[in-house]
Amino acid sequence: MKKSGIRNRTAVVTGGASGIGRSMARTLAGAGFSVAVADVDEARAGRVTTEIRSEGGEAEAFTCDVSRFEEVEALAEGARERLGPVGVLCNNAGIGGGVGASMDERGVDDWERVLGVNLLGVIHGVKAFTPRMIEDAAGGHVVNTASMASFLPSPGNGPYTTSKFAVLGLSEVLRLELAPHGIGVSVLCPGPFETGIWDGDETSDKGGDPSVLGPRVLAAIEENEPFVFTHPEFAPMVADRFDRILKRLREAGPAMERALRAAT
Ligand SMILES: NC(=O)c1ccc[n+]([C@@H]2O[C@H](COP(=O)([O-])OP(=O)(O)OC[C@H]3O[C@@H](n4cnc5c(N)ncnc54)[C@H](O)[C@@H]3O)[C@@H](O)[C@H]2O)c1
């Protein structure tokens, strides 16, 4: 590693058994990290560790449901015990939440399920790992997987979009808080990639091969990049949204004055 100065050589990847997480786990192992492949799917996590070992890397599988704090705590303890102090944490596990149903049609259980994995899962990772990383005083890096959905709301995608907006905000605060400890934070905001998250979805553009994301994320860790984007074609849509927000913000002064005059 060049600039990051991460001295602890264990990496933890949640949702490491498939898709984007599998790519990150394999790349980090290839870069010399001992990798904890953590996933709710025990069999697939085992298959990824076998794959990493066959490529000459070191990896252990951990069964963990990130929506349960006690399981993430056990992961933090177990990874440290079996592989050594953790230098890189990838809070990546996520579920899609189903596209199409509007908020009035969704039950509270739907919200709890999606936010439990996509948002609380990240919070649990931060809570279980970062105090140990701070105490180790050996640098480090946290990668949180958000989405382009963190910037571009679309109808029928309420719980997922809400979770990914929140992961973006959380990551930006975390970056400010961990910087004094020499721990970097990147938020990964992928566009569409063909992974298990699309299983059962026949309508969406499923995107390309996620294996490019491991090398991309490793570079972001080395450079402590705040945002990791993959699909520049979304830039005009993001610019349009920010332009509309800024226009309203700039009009806030006169609008407040008008309201004040109307009230007096
Ligand atoms: N694929 C895309 O197009 C895309 C785009 C933007 C963001 N993302 C995000 O990327 C991340 C990884 O998803 P992916 O696309 O690789 O999908 P994937 O389904 O291939 O991989 C997700 C992994 O997370 C695991 N997982 C699910 N719930 C879990 C839980 N409660 N605890 C632990 N592990 C759990 C799954 O078993 C699976 O192995 C997610 O956060 C997703 O929201 C994906």
Side-chain angles (χ1 to χ4, degrees), residues 1-11 32-34 83-88 133-141 181-183 221:
M1 291 242 164
K2 287 179 293 185
K3 297 185 181 168
S4 61
I6 299 167
R7 293 190 294 286
N8 288 341
R9 308 300 295 172
T10 295
F33 281 89
S34 303
L83 294 170
V86 174
V88 171
M133 289 166 92
I134 291 168
E135 202 180 308
D136 289 342
H141 203 90
H181 301 285
I183 301 170
I221 294 171

Side-chain angles (χ1 to χ4, degrees), residues 14-21 38-41 44 64-67 92-95 117-118 145-148 160 164 190-198 206:
T14 70
S18 174
I20 294 169
D39 206 285
V40 76
D41 188 329
R44 274 209 298 205
C64 172
D65 178 348
V66 296
S67 71
N92 167 76
I95 55 175
V117 180
N118 293 6
T145 304
S147 171
M148 275 318 297
Y160 186 81
K164 296 299 183 179
F193 284 92
E194 189 166 8
T195 68
I197 210 163
W198 299 104
K206 296 187 181 60

Side-chain angles (χ1 to χ4, degrees), residues 14-258:
T14 70
S18 174
I20 294 169
R22 171 173 165 255
S23 176
M24 291 197 277
R26 289 178 66 189
T27 302
L28 286 163
F33 281 89
S34 303
V35 179
V37 179
D39 206 285
V40 76
D41 188 329
E42 188 176 3
R44 274 209 298 205
R47 283 201 289 276
V48 172
T49 58
T50 305
E51 186 178 30
I52 288 172
R53 287 177 193 151
S54 75
E55 292 163 352
E58 190 182 352
E60 292 277 347
F62 291 82
T63 310
C64 172
D65 178 348
V66 296
S67 71
R68 302 174 68 89
F69 181 60
E70 65 278 15
E71 294 193 20
V72 183
E73 265 284 310
L75 170 66
E77 281 298 321
R80 192 184 181 87
E81 242 174 64
R82 285 160 62 185
L83 294 170
V86 174
V88 171
L89 167 67
C90 301
N91 285 311
N92 167 76
I95 55 175
V99 179
S102 59
M103 293 198 203
D104 57 297
E105 293 165 342
R106 288 182 185 268
V108 170
D109 55 339
D110 212 357
W111 285 89
E112 286 173 347
R113 194 173 55 84
V114 178
L115 294 178
V117 180
N118 293 6
L119 175 56
L120 276 176
V122 176
I123 293 168
H124 292 160
V126 168
K127 183 74 193 136
F129 284 89
T130 61
R132 291 171 166 91
M133 289 166 92
I134 291 168
E135 202 180 308
D136 289 342
H141 203 90
V142 179
V143 179
N144 294 328
T145 304
S147 171
M148 275 318 297
S150 300
F151 296 90
L152 296 170
S154 59
N157 208 14
Y160 186 81
T161 302
T162 303
S163 71
K164 296 299 183 179
F165 263 65
V167 170
L168 176 67
L170 179 157
S171 303
E172 291 193 58
V173 174
L174 191 67
R175 185 175 168 93
L176 297 172
E177 291 181 355
L178 292 182
H181 301 285
I183 301 170
V185 177
S186 301
V187 60
L188 171 62
C189 302
F193 284 92
E194 189 166 8
T195 68
I197 210 163
W198 299 104
D199 286 355
D201 181 345
E202 298 308 322
T203 55
S204 312
D205 165 19
K206 296 187 181 60
D209 182 346
S211 63
V212 297
L213 282 181
R216 179 67 192 89
V217 167
L218 181 62
I221 294 171
E222 287 171 345
E223 301 293 333
N224 190 17
E225 292 177 45
F227 304 101
V228 187
F229 293 109
T230 60
H231 285 60
E233 58 269 38
F234 285 107
M237 291 165 79
V238 175
D240 177 60
R241 174 167 172 263
F242 281 131
D243 284 348
R244 281 182 283 115
I245 292 170
L246 282 173
K247 181 172 180 297
R248 289 290 173 178
L249 179 58
R250 291 192 178 109
E251 288 167 2
M256 291 297 285
E257 279 163 26
R258 277 197 303 278

